[in-house]
Amino acid sequence: VTTALLGFPATVARNIANRVEKQHGLSRDRLLLNSSHTHGGPALTHPHKRFYGLRATPEQCRDIEDYTRELEGQVVAVVGAALKDLRQARLSFGQGETEFALNRRRKTDQGYVSFIGNPEGVVDHAVPVLRVDSEEKQLRAVVFGYACHPTALLANIQQFHGDYAGFAQARLEAQHPGAVALFVQGCGGDVGTSPRGTIDLAQKYGEMLAGAVNATLAGSLPSVRGPLKSAFQVCPVAFAPPPNRETLQAQLQHKDISTRWHAQEMLKVLDRDGRLPAEYPYPLQVWQFGQDLTLIAMAGEVVVDYSLRLKKEFGAEKLWVAGYCNDVFAYIPSLRVLQEGGYEGGDAMIVYVQPGPFAPSVEETIIRKIHELVGQVRNK
């Protein structure tokens, strides 16, 4: 299931998965929930209600919670409709390329700063494309991805919008009548569009992405065969030692409103549970299509280092690495980004209402679990 949302919180993903299994008999490992991370999507229920916005009214919070329940039902219904419409199909896979993504972290005298663009920073320009044809050789669906924040629009329009990813989907569906286009966000946690800020730019990038997909579709793509094997597991990922009560109480006087809010929320957790969480239950998922394609679905705002590393370790030709899957709760820094610091390295944990940065073990913990799950599905 692909969505034009900022991300599925764990509670929402869990509700959907439980209902899908109960109503449709589809096990958790067979359901993948991806979000494009458009910043023009509706808010969803979050355990820290002020995450909706520091000025959200109680009525707005209720509207968000009502919408979230409605959305859960819609996703469950979409899954049910898809299962009822299952048909024989031929799959093929290839990878194109487009180059509008730019790493957004740059080193300055004040340390690593985000959102200013770094032409020398690492990126992954690959455009993975999974083609789905009917037995009559008609294009039924195209699933495609890219590793880049959908922030070409930022907050410059007051309407729901899919940003460049939505424009790409619309263009592909217009050019291929009867086919559905599904965008899967990649490991673009530290990658964005540049320049940005207008609808015209979002449309331009969407057309560039659709062009790369069409060029790949026009080529001779290798077949993707079954059987489909899947694995889903929650892996505990450690936080660095959290702040103590005295530190949090001192932050209540901080000049930054987000820091004050974070301290208030953490003190609530401390009062309720007696401690702050030492780790986060991180969901990982792997789908293996025969010997032809491995899809790795990672949760959170994963930085591009993970995609590049996994392609080196497993081979890039038959690998697809997606971020923003099943839970979006924080940035997932590599060890390099964690050590460099900055927004993706740990500062964003304040707005995500987490205790603090991850421990230095974060990258190796996740990579080790991915290798384990890939081994499981390849050896079944």
Side-chain angles (χ1 to χ4, degrees), residues 262-323:
H262 176 266
Q264 291 171 3
E265 296 299 306
M266 290 298 99
L267 285 168
K268 290 177 185 177
V269 174
L270 201 56
D271 291 340
R272 183 190 69 213
D273 301 335
R275 62 181 180 85
L276 295 179
E279 58 191 22
Y280 191 87
Y282 185 71
L284 283 167
Q285 188 172 17
V286 178
W287 285 358
Q288 181 68 36
F289 297 80
Q291 301 299 314
D292 303 314
L293 175 63
T294 304
L295 172 60
I296 298 171
M298 302 178 65
E301 299 203 52
V302 187
V303 301
V304 70
D305 287 356
Y306 283 89
S307 175
L308 299 176
R309 175 175 174 175
L310 289 167
K311 287 181 177 182
K312 287 181 180 179
E313 295 180 357
F314 289 113
E317 185 179 358
K318 298 181 178 181
L319 186 71
W320 187 339
V321 186

Side-chain angles (χ1 to χ4, degrees), residues 40-344:
L44 299 183
T45 294
H46 191 277
H48 299 277
K49 290 184 172 55
R50 293 191 70 188
F51 188 79
Y52 306 153
L54 295 174
R55 297 177 179 85
T57 66
E59 182 181 8
Q60 289 170 331
C61 291
R62 287 193 296 271
D63 287 343
I64 290 169
E65 291 162 10
D66 289 344
Y67 170 75
T68 301
R69 286 191 292 270
E70 179 183 346
L71 176 74
E72 291 174 359
Q74 290 175 336
V75 174
V76 174
V78 163
V79 173
L83 291 170
K84 289 179 181 178
D85 197 30
L86 283 175
R87 306 179 207 166
Q88 294 292 323
R90 300 178 185 275
L91 274 61
S92 53
F93 178 74
Q95 300 194 59
E97 186 173 289
T98 190
E99 297 186 352
F100 61 81
L102 184 71
N103 194 287
R104 67 188 199 179
R105 290 169 55 83
R106 183 182 297 179
K107 188 175 184 180
T108 69
D109 293 340
Q110 289 75 41
Y112 280 84
V113 178
S114 294
F115 315 117
I116 57 176
N118 179 9
E120 298 179 358
V122 291
V123 290
D124 184 353
H125 286 314
V127 179
V129 177
L130 181 67
R131 178 177 183 136
V132 184
D133 289 292
S134 69
E135 287 193 299
E136 296 75 33
K137 298 184 179 180
Q138 296 295 314
L139 181 65
R140 190 168 186 216
V142 55
V143 190
F144 65 104
Y146 197 52
C148 180
H149 259 72
T151 50
L153 285 175
L154 291 175
N156 290 348
I157 59 171
Q158 295 301 313
Q159 66 186 56
F160 294 129
H161 205 288
D163 210 275
Y164 76 79
F167 276 119
Q169 288 175 275
R171 174 56 64 94
L172 289 166
E173 290 184 354
Q175 293 172 329
H176 303 281
V180 61
L182 298 101
F183 174 77
V184 176
Q185 183 58 260
C187 299
D190 54 344
V191 179
T193 56
S194 182
R196 61 182 185 168
T198 68
I199 289 180
D200 288 344
L201 282 170
Q203 184 168 3
K204 173 186 173 182
Y205 299 141
E207 290 174 354
M208 290 174 66
L209 180 54
V213 173
N214 277 324
T216 303
L217 290 174
S220 179
L221 301 182
S223 296
V224 172
R225 293 153 293 192
L228 173 63
K229 300 176 182 179
S230 54
F232 179 96
Q233 194 167 333
V234 173
C235 168
V237 178
F239 291 118
N244 58 29
R245 182 178 292 275
E246 290 71 23
T247 300
L248 292 171
Q249 288 174 333
Q251 289 175 350
L252 294 175
Q253 309 304 318
H254 200 281
K255 63 181 181 180
D256 176 61
I257 187 172
S258 294
T259 301
R260 298 198 302 271
W261 166 49
H262 176 266
Q264 291 171 3
E265 296 299 306
M266 290 298 99
L267 285 168
K268 290 177 185 177
V269 174
L270 201 56
D271 291 340
R272 183 190 69 213
D273 301 335
R275 62 181 180 85
L276 295 179
E279 58 191 22
Y280 191 87
Y282 185 71
L284 283 167
Q285 188 172 17
V286 178
W287 285 358
Q288 181 68 36
F289 297 80
Q291 301 299 314
D292 303 314
L293 175 63
T294 304
L295 172 60
I296 298 171
M298 302 178 65
E301 299 203 52
V302 187
V303 301
V304 70
D305 287 356
Y306 283 89
S307 175
L308 299 176
R309 175 175 174 175
L310 289 167
K311 287 181 177 182
K312 287 181 180 179
E313 295 180 357
F314 289 113
E317 185 179 358
K318 298 181 178 181
L319 186 71
W320 187 339
V321 186
Y324 300 86
C325 295
N326 301 309
D327 186 7
V328 177
F329 63 98
Y331 281 84
I332 309 301
S334 60
L335 179 59
R336 174 185 68 84
V337 171
L338 181 71
Q339 291 175 337
E340 290 175 353
Y343 190 72
E344 299 87 355

